[in-house]
Amino acid sequence: MTVSQLYRQVRDLFRDAQIELPELDAKLLVSAALGISISDLMLRGDDPVSETKSATAKTHAEKRLAGMPVGRILGEREFYGRRFVMNPATLEPRSDTEALIDAVLALSVPTQEQLFCDLGTGTGAIAVTLLAEMKRSRMVAVDLSFEALSCASENADLHEVSDRFLPLCADYASALAGAKSGVFDWVVSNPPYIRTHDLGMLSPEVIQHDPVLALDGGVTGLDSYVRIIAQAEMLLKSGGRIALEIGFDQAGAVEKQLRHHSFGAIEIVKDLSGNDRVLLACRQ
Ligand code: GLN
């Protein structure tokens, strides 16, 4: 079998099963199984494929047909142009979250020395990307899950920012409560924000593969925001900023919490689909 034959076989299986993006998923899975880039998939279409590699591609395809997302099958995915590994304790990074990175960078000078705190870092997609983009900044990356934190540390190593990346295993900023207040320039977070009652409505790809701890925002979906905003008031310098990922219908409720805690200059940023996705605010 040749490279193109294998690709077409997997793509057709995905088309028949009405997978949303059959071409893209087949390209990602087949190229990973063969250990080549997506462009080589086309350029080296006539190369023969070994039995072992074609068996790996077929195992990947079976997992995809059983409903596992591509990122979970490969244990990694791209975020803001960089490769991030993930594990069962971490949410799969979403492209929606790239809106948070753009929003923070739009308010920053890349050479500035900023001290960030990322609450609920997961894979470290936000934390590591910001450090990679802002070469003089430093990050305290907090997660309740030790397993998630080791994944974030691996990503910090992968992108050579570990010397500016401090992982902290804690329940949000509880471990920083006794520390000197008002030292951070930024608090960033993509906390769990799905209402408990709505968890059952998430697609099987999400609810069966992303950890509930990273999704469940309590009865109102707002539990994490209430805690994070109160803690950010203590962590941030006057003039420091907060950037929060939010659910598409949560801007009003989260904005109310921010106003309640001496935050101003509130700005709502939309994602590429046009949904409210990020709230920015300034600590007064
Ligand atoms: N955006 C994610 C989803 O809807 C949820 C992420 C989160 O709760 N932080 O699948």
Side-chain angles (χ1 to χ4, degrees), residues 169-207:
C169 194
D171 187 8
Y172 290 140
S174 55
L176 298 169
K180 192 165 166 275
S181 61
V183 292
F184 286 90
D185 300 289
W186 278 96
V187 168
V188 293
S189 181
N190 173 17
Y193 55 67
I194 310 289
R195 291 176 196 89
T196 308
H197 182 74
D198 293 344
L199 288 172
M201 278 152 38
L202 293 173
S203 74
E205 294 194 356
V206 173
I207 199 64

mmCIF file of all heavy atoms in Angstrom, residues 169-207:
data_model
loop_
_atom_site.group_PDB
_atom_site.id
_atom_site.type_symbol
_atom_site.label_atom_id
_atom_site.label_comp_id
_atom_site.label_asym_id
_atom_site.label_seq_id
_atom_site.Cartn_x
_atom_site.Cartn_y
_atom_site.Cartn_z
ATOM 1 N N CYS A 169 1.192 23.291 42.942
ATOM 2 C CA CYS A 169 0.036 22.409 43.102
ATOM 3 C C CYS A 169 -0.822 22.950 44.244
ATOM 4 O O CYS A 169 -0.437 22.866 45.407
ATOM 5 C CB CYS A 169 0.519 20.993 43.391
ATOM 6 S SG CYS A 169 -0.816 19.800 43.206
ATOM 7 N N ALA A 170 -1.947 23.570 43.920
ATOM 8 C CA ALA A 170 -2.777 24.203 44.943
ATOM 9 C C ALA A 170 -4.189 24.425 44.412
ATOM 10 O O ALA A 170 -4.441 24.355 43.210
ATOM 11 C CB ALA A 170 -2.174 25.551 45.345
ATOM 12 N N ASP A 171 -5.102 24.692 45.367
ATOM 13 C CA ASP A 171 -6.486 25.000 45.028
ATOM 14 C C ASP A 171 -6.546 26.494 44.681
ATOM 15 O O ASP A 171 -6.614 27.346 45.568
ATOM 16 C CB ASP A 171 -7.350 24.673 46.256
ATOM 17 C CG ASP A 171 -8.824 24.787 45.952
ATOM 18 O OD1 ASP A 171 -9.191 24.957 44.776
ATOM 19 O OD2 ASP A 171 -9.622 24.708 46.921
ATOM 20 N N TYR A 172 -6.471 26.771 43.383
ATOM 21 C CA TYR A 172 -6.325 28.156 42.901
ATOM 22 C C TYR A 172 -5.252 28.878 43.720
ATOM 23 O O TYR A 172 -4.183 28.314 43.941
ATOM 24 C CB TYR A 172 -7.660 28.887 42.903
ATOM 25 C CG TYR A 172 -8.608 28.379 41.833
ATOM 26 C CD1 TYR A 172 -9.965 28.234 42.084
ATOM 27 C CD2 TYR A 172 -8.145 28.022 40.580
ATOM 28 C CE1 TYR A 172 -10.830 27.751 41.098
ATOM 29 C CE2 TYR A 172 -8.997 27.542 39.587
ATOM 30 C CZ TYR A 172 -10.332 27.412 39.848
ATOM 31 O OH TYR A 172 -11.167 26.930 38.879
ATOM 32 N N ALA A 173 -5.538 30.096 44.203
ATOM 33 C CA ALA A 173 -4.446 30.854 44.824
ATOM 34 C C ALA A 173 -4.363 30.647 46.340
ATOM 35 O O ALA A 173 -3.695 31.411 47.031
ATOM 36 C CB ALA A 173 -4.604 32.330 44.502
ATOM 37 N N SER A 174 -5.032 29.580 46.864
ATOM 38 C CA SER A 174 -5.034 29.399 48.315
ATOM 39 C C SER A 174 -3.610 29.357 48.873
ATOM 40 O O SER A 174 -3.339 29.903 49.948
ATOM 41 C CB SER A 174 -5.799 28.135 48.692
ATOM 42 O OG SER A 174 -5.239 27.042 47.999
ATOM 43 N N ALA A 175 -2.685 28.740 48.135
ATOM 44 C CA ALA A 175 -1.314 28.617 48.631
ATOM 45 C C ALA A 175 -0.583 29.962 48.627
ATOM 46 O O ALA A 175 0.474 30.099 49.228
ATOM 47 C CB ALA A 175 -0.544 27.616 47.784
ATOM 48 N N LEU A 176 -1.149 30.950 47.952
ATOM 49 C CA LEU A 176 -0.494 32.270 47.895
ATOM 50 C C LEU A 176 -1.136 33.252 48.875
ATOM 51 O O LEU A 176 -0.742 34.413 48.935
ATOM 52 C CB LEU A 176 -0.601 32.845 46.469
ATOM 53 C CG LEU A 176 0.086 32.046 45.364
ATOM 54 C CD1 LEU A 176 -0.334 32.566 44.001
ATOM 55 C CD2 LEU A 176 1.600 32.131 45.516
ATOM 56 N N ALA A 177 -2.122 32.751 49.645
ATOM 57 C CA ALA A 177 -2.915 33.648 50.494
ATOM 58 C C ALA A 177 -2.060 34.418 51.504
ATOM 59 O O ALA A 177 -2.315 35.587 51.781
ATOM 60 C CB ALA A 177 -4.012 32.865 51.192
ATOM 61 N N GLY A 178 -1.011 33.769 52.039
ATOM 62 C CA GLY A 178 -0.196 34.439 53.057
ATOM 63 C C GLY A 178 0.891 35.298 52.429
ATOM 64 O O GLY A 178 1.586 36.045 53.122
ATOM 65 N N ALA A 179 1.053 35.179 51.105
ATOM 66 C CA ALA A 179 2.156 35.891 50.439
ATOM 67 C C ALA A 179 1.846 37.382 50.377
ATOM 68 O O ALA A 179 0.729 37.824 50.611
ATOM 69 C CB ALA A 179 2.352 35.336 49.037
ATOM 70 N N LYS A 180 2.869 38.145 50.026
ATOM 71 C CA LYS A 180 2.700 39.592 49.887
ATOM 72 C C LYS A 180 1.638 39.850 48.821
ATOM 73 O O LYS A 180 1.688 39.248 47.733
ATOM 74 C CB LYS A 180 4.051 40.172 49.443
ATOM 75 C CG LYS A 180 4.150 41.664 49.531
ATOM 76 C CD LYS A 180 5.625 42.059 49.439
ATOM 77 C CE LYS A 180 5.767 43.535 49.189
ATOM 78 N NZ LYS A 180 5.690 43.910 47.789
ATOM 79 N N SER A 181 0.684 40.706 49.124
ATOM 80 C CA SER A 181 -0.377 40.912 48.122
ATOM 81 C C SER A 181 0.045 41.985 47.114
ATOM 82 O O SER A 181 0.989 42.747 47.337
ATOM 83 C CB SER A 181 -1.683 41.284 48.813
ATOM 84 O OG SER A 181 -1.498 42.467 49.503
ATOM 85 N N GLY A 182 -0.640 41.996 46.004
ATOM 86 C CA GLY A 182 -0.405 43.022 44.986
ATOM 87 C C GLY A 182 0.913 42.926 44.257
ATOM 88 O O GLY A 182 1.548 43.941 43.973
ATOM 89 N N VAL A 183 1.372 41.711 43.945
ATOM 90 C CA VAL A 183 2.654 41.612 43.243
ATOM 91 C C VAL A 183 2.504 41.231 41.772
ATOM 92 O O VAL A 183 3.443 41.382 40.987
ATOM 93 C CB VAL A 183 3.625 40.602 43.906
ATOM 94 C CG1 VAL A 183 4.086 41.103 45.247
ATOM 95 C CG2 VAL A 183 3.012 39.228 44.022
ATOM 96 N N PHE A 184 1.347 40.722 41.393
ATOM 97 C CA PHE A 184 1.196 40.233 40.016
ATOM 98 C C PHE A 184 0.728 41.342 39.071
ATOM 99 O O PHE A 184 -0.084 42.190 39.438
ATOM 100 C CB PHE A 184 0.202 39.068 39.963
ATOM 101 C CG PHE A 184 0.769 37.791 40.519
ATOM 102 C CD1 PHE A 184 0.630 37.476 41.864
ATOM 103 C CD2 PHE A 184 1.489 36.927 39.708
ATOM 104 C CE1 PHE A 184 1.175 36.316 42.389
ATOM 105 C CE2 PHE A 184 2.037 35.758 40.209
ATOM 106 C CZ PHE A 184 1.879 35.451 41.554
ATOM 107 N N ASP A 185 1.232 41.273 37.826
ATOM 108 C CA ASP A 185 0.762 42.198 36.782
ATOM 109 C C ASP A 185 -0.475 41.637 36.095
ATOM 110 O O ASP A 185 -1.292 42.386 35.578
ATOM 111 C CB ASP A 185 1.857 42.383 35.713
ATOM 112 C CG ASP A 185 3.124 42.961 36.308
ATOM 113 O OD1 ASP A 185 3.102 44.154 36.665
ATOM 114 O OD2 ASP A 185 4.119 42.219 36.440
ATOM 115 N N TRP A 186 -0.559 40.299 36.055
ATOM 116 C CA TRP A 186 -1.653 39.651 35.341
ATOM 117 C C TRP A 186 -2.139 38.413 36.097
ATOM 118 O O TRP A 186 -1.327 37.632 36.597
ATOM 119 C CB TRP A 186 -1.183 39.140 33.980
ATOM 120 C CG TRP A 186 -1.129 40.138 32.869
ATOM 121 C CD1 TRP A 186 -0.040 40.833 32.454
ATOM 122 C CD2 TRP A 186 -2.202 40.526 32.003
ATOM 123 N NE1 TRP A 186 -0.361 41.623 31.383
ATOM 124 C CE2 TRP A 186 -1.683 41.447 31.073
ATOM 125 C CE3 TRP A 186 -3.549 40.165 31.904
ATOM 126 C CZ2 TRP A 186 -2.456 42.035 30.079
ATOM 127 C CZ3 TRP A 186 -4.325 40.729 30.922
ATOM 128 C CH2 TRP A 186 -3.788 41.664 30.021
ATOM 129 N N VAL A 187 -3.456 38.219 36.119
ATOM 130 C CA VAL A 187 -4.033 36.921 36.481
ATOM 131 C C VAL A 187 -4.778 36.447 35.245
ATOM 132 O O VAL A 187 -5.572 37.198 34.670
ATOM 133 C CB VAL A 187 -4.990 37.029 37.693
ATOM 134 C CG1 VAL A 187 -5.800 35.738 37.860
ATOM 135 C CG2 VAL A 187 -4.201 37.324 38.965
ATOM 136 N N VAL A 188 -4.471 35.227 34.794
ATOM 137 C CA VAL A 188 -5.159 34.680 33.615
ATOM 138 C C VAL A 188 -5.766 33.338 34.009
ATOM 139 O O VAL A 188 -5.249 32.657 34.891
ATOM 140 C CB VAL A 188 -4.185 34.505 32.419
ATOM 141 C CG1 VAL A 188 -3.706 35.840 31.900
ATOM 142 C CG2 VAL A 188 -2.994 33.625 32.781
ATOM 143 N N SER A 189 -6.873 32.988 33.376
ATOM 144 C CA SER A 189 -7.482 31.692 33.700
ATOM 145 C C SER A 189 -8.508 31.261 32.667
ATOM 146 O O SER A 189 -9.260 32.074 32.142
ATOM 147 C CB SER A 189 -8.166 31.772 35.076
ATOM 148 O OG SER A 189 -8.726 30.522 35.410
ATOM 149 N N ASN A 190 -8.526 29.968 32.403
ATOM 150 C CA ASN A 190 -9.632 29.337 31.681
ATOM 151 C C ASN A 190 -10.187 28.297 32.653
ATOM 152 O O ASN A 190 -9.814 27.126 32.612
ATOM 153 C CB ASN A 190 -9.140 28.664 30.397
ATOM 154 C CG ASN A 190 -10.261 27.866 29.730
ATOM 155 O OD1 ASN A 190 -11.441 28.054 30.024
ATOM 156 N ND2 ASN A 190 -9.889 26.956 28.840
ATOM 157 N N PRO A 191 -11.065 28.741 33.564
ATOM 158 C CA PRO A 191 -11.525 27.827 34.616
ATOM 159 C C PRO A 191 -12.672 26.948 34.107
ATOM 160 O O PRO A 191 -13.200 27.199 33.017
ATOM 161 C CB PRO A 191 -12.043 28.796 35.680
ATOM 162 C CG PRO A 191 -12.576 29.941 34.887
ATOM 163 C CD PRO A 191 -11.685 30.061 33.676
ATOM 164 N N PRO A 192 -13.085 25.940 34.885
ATOM 165 C CA PRO A 192 -14.281 25.178 34.504
ATOM 166 C C PRO A 192 -15.495 26.098 34.569
ATOM 167 O O PRO A 192 -15.666 26.807 35.571
ATOM 168 C CB PRO A 192 -14.362 24.074 35.565
ATOM 169 C CG PRO A 192 -13.470 24.495 36.669
ATOM 170 C CD PRO A 192 -12.469 25.448 36.122
ATOM 171 N N TYR A 193 -16.314 26.127 33.501
ATOM 172 C CA TYR A 193 -17.450 27.061 33.530
ATOM 173 C C TYR A 193 -18.762 26.476 33.034
ATOM 174 O O TYR A 193 -19.703 27.202 32.773
ATOM 175 C CB TYR A 193 -17.111 28.360 32.796
ATOM 176 C CG TYR A 193 -16.632 28.246 31.359
ATOM 177 C CD1 TYR A 193 -17.471 27.806 30.338
ATOM 178 C CD2 TYR A 193 -15.340 28.626 31.022
ATOM 179 C CE1 TYR A 193 -17.034 27.743 29.022
ATOM 180 C CE2 TYR A 193 -14.883 28.560 29.708
ATOM 181 C CZ TYR A 193 -15.734 28.125 28.716
ATOM 182 O OH TYR A 193 -15.297 28.071 27.417
ATOM 183 N N ILE A 194 -18.805 25.164 32.841
ATOM 184 C CA ILE A 194 -20.065 24.561 32.387
ATOM 185 C C ILE A 194 -20.966 24.325 33.613
ATOM 186 O O ILE A 194 -20.480 23.847 34.647
ATOM 187 C CB ILE A 194 -19.785 23.202 31.683
ATOM 188 C CG1 ILE A 194 -18.692 23.340 30.624
ATOM 189 C CG2 ILE A 194 -21.074 22.600 31.120
ATOM 190 C CD1 ILE A 194 -19.048 24.100 29.381
ATOM 191 N N ARG A 195 -22.268 24.689 33.494
ATOM 192 C CA ARG A 195 -23.198 24.423 34.606
ATOM 193 C C ARG A 195 -23.279 22.913 34.808
ATOM 194 O O ARG A 195 -23.392 22.166 33.829
ATOM 195 C CB ARG A 195 -24.591 24.955 34.292
ATOM 196 C CG ARG A 195 -24.672 26.463 34.270
ATOM 197 C CD ARG A 195 -26.066 26.933 33.849
ATOM 198 N NE ARG A 195 -26.005 28.335 33.480
ATOM 199 C CZ ARG A 195 -25.721 28.767 32.233
ATOM 200 N NH1 ARG A 195 -25.525 27.908 31.248
ATOM 201 N NH2 ARG A 195 -25.651 30.054 31.987
ATOM 202 N N THR A 196 -23.280 22.466 36.069
ATOM 203 C CA THR A 196 -23.305 21.021 36.346
ATOM 204 C C THR A 196 -24.436 20.343 35.572
ATOM 205 O O THR A 196 -24.246 19.293 34.956
ATOM 206 C CB THR A 196 -23.483 20.789 37.868
ATOM 207 O OG1 THR A 196 -22.483 21.551 38.532
ATOM 208 C CG2 THR A 196 -23.332 19.320 38.228
ATOM 209 N N HIS A 197 -25.595 21.018 35.573
ATOM 210 C CA HIS A 197 -26.769 20.459 34.922
ATOM 211 C C HIS A 197 -26.565 20.280 33.405
ATOM 212 O O HIS A 197 -27.191 19.423 32.792
ATOM 213 C CB HIS A 197 -27.944 21.419 35.188
ATOM 214 C CG HIS A 197 -29.230 20.935 34.620
ATOM 215 N ND1 HIS A 197 -29.941 19.896 35.187
ATOM 216 C CD2 HIS A 197 -29.917 21.312 33.517
ATOM 217 C CE1 HIS A 197 -31.022 19.671 34.453
ATOM 218 N NE2 HIS A 197 -31.023 20.517 33.439
ATOM 219 N N ASP A 198 -25.690 21.105 32.819
ATOM 220 C CA ASP A 198 -25.480 21.057 31.358
ATOM 221 C C ASP A 198 -24.386 20.074 30.933
ATOM 222 O O ASP A 198 -24.173 19.877 29.732
ATOM 223 C CB ASP A 198 -25.094 22.451 30.818
ATOM 224 C CG ASP A 198 -26.239 23.442 30.948
ATOM 225 O OD1 ASP A 198 -27.386 22.989 31.156
ATOM 226 O OD2 ASP A 198 -25.980 24.657 30.859
ATOM 227 N N LEU A 199 -23.684 19.484 31.911
ATOM 228 C CA LEU A 199 -22.573 18.595 31.540
ATOM 229 C C LEU A 199 -23.050 17.466 30.627
ATOM 230 O O LEU A 199 -22.375 17.107 29.671
ATOM 231 C CB LEU A 199 -21.914 17.989 32.794
ATOM 232 C CG LEU A 199 -21.073 18.937 33.641
ATOM 233 C CD1 LEU A 199 -20.649 18.262 34.940
ATOM 234 C CD2 LEU A 199 -19.828 19.401 32.873
ATOM 235 N N GLY A 200 -24.256 16.964 30.917
ATOM 236 C CA GLY A 200 -24.809 15.864 30.129
ATOM 237 C C GLY A 200 -25.126 16.268 28.693
ATOM 238 O O GLY A 200 -25.335 15.410 27.839
ATOM 239 N N MET A 201 -25.183 17.583 28.439
ATOM 240 C CA MET A 201 -25.509 18.040 27.082
ATOM 241 C C MET A 201 -24.257 18.235 26.216
ATOM 242 O O MET A 201 -24.345 18.536 25.032
ATOM 243 C CB MET A 201 -26.295 19.346 27.142
ATOM 244 C CG MET A 201 -27.780 19.058 27.414
ATOM 245 S SD MET A 201 -28.704 20.327 28.261
ATOM 246 C CE MET A 201 -28.118 21.828 27.655
ATOM 247 N N LEU A 202 -23.083 18.102 26.842
ATOM 248 C CA LEU A 202 -21.846 18.257 26.056
ATOM 249 C C LEU A 202 -21.715 17.078 25.100
ATOM 250 O O LEU A 202 -22.248 15.994 25.360
ATOM 251 C CB LEU A 202 -20.633 18.283 26.992
ATOM 252 C CG LEU A 202 -20.521 19.490 27.926
ATOM 253 C CD1 LEU A 202 -19.363 19.291 28.899
ATOM 254 C CD2 LEU A 202 -20.327 20.770 27.122
ATOM 255 N N SER A 203 -20.992 17.267 24.007
ATOM 256 C CA SER A 203 -20.852 16.174 23.040
ATOM 257 C C SER A 203 -20.072 15.038 23.710
ATOM 258 O O SER A 203 -19.235 15.285 24.588
ATOM 259 C CB SER A 203 -20.129 16.671 21.800
ATOM 260 O OG SER A 203 -18.773 16.833 22.103
ATOM 261 N N PRO A 204 -20.327 13.792 23.282
ATOM 262 C CA PRO A 204 -19.595 12.661 23.867
ATOM 263 C C PRO A 204 -18.086 12.844 23.751
ATOM 264 O O PRO A 204 -17.332 12.445 24.632
ATOM 265 C CB PRO A 204 -20.050 11.457 23.033
ATOM 266 C CG PRO A 204 -21.310 11.874 22.368
ATOM 267 C CD PRO A 204 -21.299 13.370 22.273
ATOM 268 N N GLU A 205 -17.644 13.508 22.672
ATOM 269 C CA GLU A 205 -16.199 13.717 22.493
ATOM 270 C C GLU A 205 -15.607 14.534 23.638
ATOM 271 O O GLU A 205 -14.467 14.352 24.021
ATOM 272 C CB GLU A 205 -15.918 14.436 21.167
ATOM 273 C CG GLU A 205 -16.293 13.588 19.983
ATOM 274 C CD GLU A 205 -15.729 14.093 18.677
ATOM 275 O OE1 GLU A 205 -15.100 15.160 18.679
ATOM 276 O OE2 GLU A 205 -15.927 13.406 17.664
ATOM 277 N N VAL A 206 -16.422 15.464 24.173
ATOM 278 C CA VAL A 206 -15.945 16.290 25.278
ATOM 279 C C VAL A 206 -16.130 15.544 26.602
ATOM 280 O O VAL A 206 -15.162 15.316 27.340
ATOM 281 C CB VAL A 206 -16.688 17.654 25.311
ATOM 282 C CG1 VAL A 206 -16.315 18.451 26.557
ATOM 283 C CG2 VAL A 206 -16.361 18.455 24.057
ATOM 284 N N ILE A 207 -17.339 15.128 26.892
ATOM 285 C CA ILE A 207 -17.623 14.612 28.235
ATOM 286 C C ILE A 207 -16.936 13.275 28.493
ATOM 287 O O ILE A 207 -16.583 12.952 29.620
ATOM 288 C CB ILE A 207 -19.157 14.582 28.523
ATOM 289 C CG1 ILE A 207 -19.420 14.504 30.028
ATOM 290 C CG2 ILE A 207 -19.863 13.468 27.770
ATOM 291 C CD1 ILE A 207 -18.966 15.674 30.823
#
